[in-house]
């Protein structure tokens, strides 16, 4: 069975500082990987995705993530955060093969950007 | 350009009452999903549908029923609500098809907050 672990439930960071949100998955086969963002009182929006190709993926709002197969990780990074980045971030994985038509989501990381 | 619309946005029920959450999408998507979001647990899939007239169970289907009579609508029903069903419910849809092409990127609604007393 696949699972997704987001190691930090809360990450406070000062404005203009860099941030890394960690995500690890457990799967013995290839995966598709996603990061979603949820702003307060809204639904989830896709931030970026890894399907194949380059392991460094760039998304919206200056975020990027790196797929590391050997460490089964897909950490999200931003070099300089803004107040408006305050939100909850979810990592999600879908296993490459099999009949399951669903994503497995991590438990989420609340990013709070402080002035 | 509404995307995915959920109604109602808020609802309070008493234990044992029934209700239906409605999800409507205007993107002609084939696949639709119902998730519940609970603190510290992320999103868990309740039921999903890969086309009009089809439904399938997800990770936590017990206590819920669904129907997809029209392609654009996906209904989630609670026949006898329990306090454990207090949650925020999200509907999502996707084009369907080959995952490697990105065809299954989910578009989410804004959520429906349900409280069962």
């Amino acid at each position: 069975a696949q699972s997704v672990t987001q190691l930090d439930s809360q990450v406070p960071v000062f404005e203009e500082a860099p941030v890394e949100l960690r995500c690890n998955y457990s799967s013995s086969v290839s995966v598709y990987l996603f990061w979603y963002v949820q702003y307060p009182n809204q639904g989830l929006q896709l931030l970026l995705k890894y399907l194949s190709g380059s392991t460094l993926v760039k998304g919206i709002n200056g975020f990027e993530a790196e797929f590391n197969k050997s460490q089964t990780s897909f950490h999200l990074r931003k070099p300089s955060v803004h107040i408006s980045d305050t939100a909850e971030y979810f990592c999600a994985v879908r296993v490459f093969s099999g009949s399951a038509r669903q994503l497995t989501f991590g438990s989420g990381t609340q990013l709070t950007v402080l002035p | 350009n509404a995307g995915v619309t959920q109604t109602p946005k808020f609802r309070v029920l008493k234990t044992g009452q029934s209700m239906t959450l409605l999800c409507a999408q205007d993107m002609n998507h084939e696949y639709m999903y119902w998730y519940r979001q609970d603190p510290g647990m992320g999103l868990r899939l309740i039921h999903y549908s890969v086309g009009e007239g089809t439904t399938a169970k997800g990770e936590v289907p017990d206590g819920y029923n669904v129907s997809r009579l029209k392609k654009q609508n996906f209904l989630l029903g609670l026949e006898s609500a329990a306090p454990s069903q207090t949650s925020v419910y999200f509907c999502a849809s996707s084009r369907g098809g080959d995952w490697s092409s990105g065809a299954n990127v989910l578009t989410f609604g804004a959520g429906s907050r349900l409280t069962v007393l």
Side-chain angles (χ1 to χ4, degrees):
Chain A
Q2 60 189 27
S3 70
V4 182
T5 302
Q6 291 185 241
L7 296 163
D8 305 297
S9 60
Q10 308 236 6
V11 173
V13 63
F14 286 106
E15 194 173 16
E16 297 184 4
V19 71
E20 178 180 82
L21 306 183
R22 296 180 291 170
C23 174
N24 286 88
Y25 64 92
S26 61
S27 174
S28 59
V29 298
S30 299
V31 295
Y32 300 111
L33 297 156
F34 304 80
W35 275 99
Y36 282 83
V37 59
Q38 183 181 29
Y39 298 105
N41 300 314
Q42 294 186 25
L44 281 71
Q45 303 173 30
L46 181 69
L47 204 53
L48 49 79
K49 61 184 182 290
Y50 171 79
L51 303 177
S52 65
S54 172
T55 57
L56 183 63
V57 180
K58 294 190 183 299
I60 60 173
N61 300 338
F63 283 93
E64 63 181 31
E66 185 157 18
F67 170 52
N68 188 318
K69 188 174 183 178
S70 63
Q71 297 189 0
T72 60
S73 68
F74 190 54
H75 300 335
L76 181 70
R77 301 185 183 100
K78 186 170 182 177
S80 175
V81 294
H82 302 291
I83 297 287
S84 59
D85 292 323
T86 294
E88 189 151 23
Y89 293 79
F90 292 94
C91 182
V93 61
R94 196 263 183 183
V95 173
F96 218 65
S97 62
S99 61
R101 294 183 176 87
Q102 62 198 55
L103 295 180
T104 298
F105 284 84
S107 56
T109 297
Q110 175 64 45
L111 173 65
T112 302
V113 181
L114 306 167
Chain B
N1 193 15
V4 178
T5 303
Q6 295 181 228
T7 53
K9 288 185 169 47
F10 303 94
R11 185 73 187 269
V12 178
L13 289 177
K14 294 181 180 178
T15 297
Q17 287 185 318
S18 63
M19 74 157 295
T20 301
L21 298 178
L22 171 63
C23 176
Q25 53 95 3
D26 61 2
M27 297 170 287
N28 201 34
H29 282 174
E30 286 294 331
Y31 293 5
M32 296 186 75
Y33 313 79
W34 275 107
Y35 288 89
R36 60 178 289 174
Q37 183 182 30
D38 301 292
M41 301 189 73
L43 276 78
R44 293 180 292 169
L45 183 66
I46 305 171
H47 287 280
Y48 63 97
S49 167
V50 299
E52 181 179 316
T54 74
T55 62
K57 293 180 180 179
E59 182 184 354
V60 289
D62 294 343
Y64 304 96
N65 56 75
V66 288
S67 64
R68 183 110 182 258
L69 299 179
K70 293 183 178 181
K71 184 177 182 179
Q72 64 267 35
N73 295 337
F74 195 30
L75 278 63
L76 177 72
L78 286 71
E79 289 186 350
S80 179
S84 61
Q85 294 178 303
T86 294
S87 187
V88 180
Y89 291 86
F90 285 98
C91 178
S93 68
S94 66
R95 224 166 52 229
D98 184 10
W99 278 81
S100 65
S101 71
N104 281 303
V105 169
L106 301 180
T107 299
F108 282 86
S112 297
R113 185 176 294 275
L114 175 66
T115 301
V116 183
L117 303 175

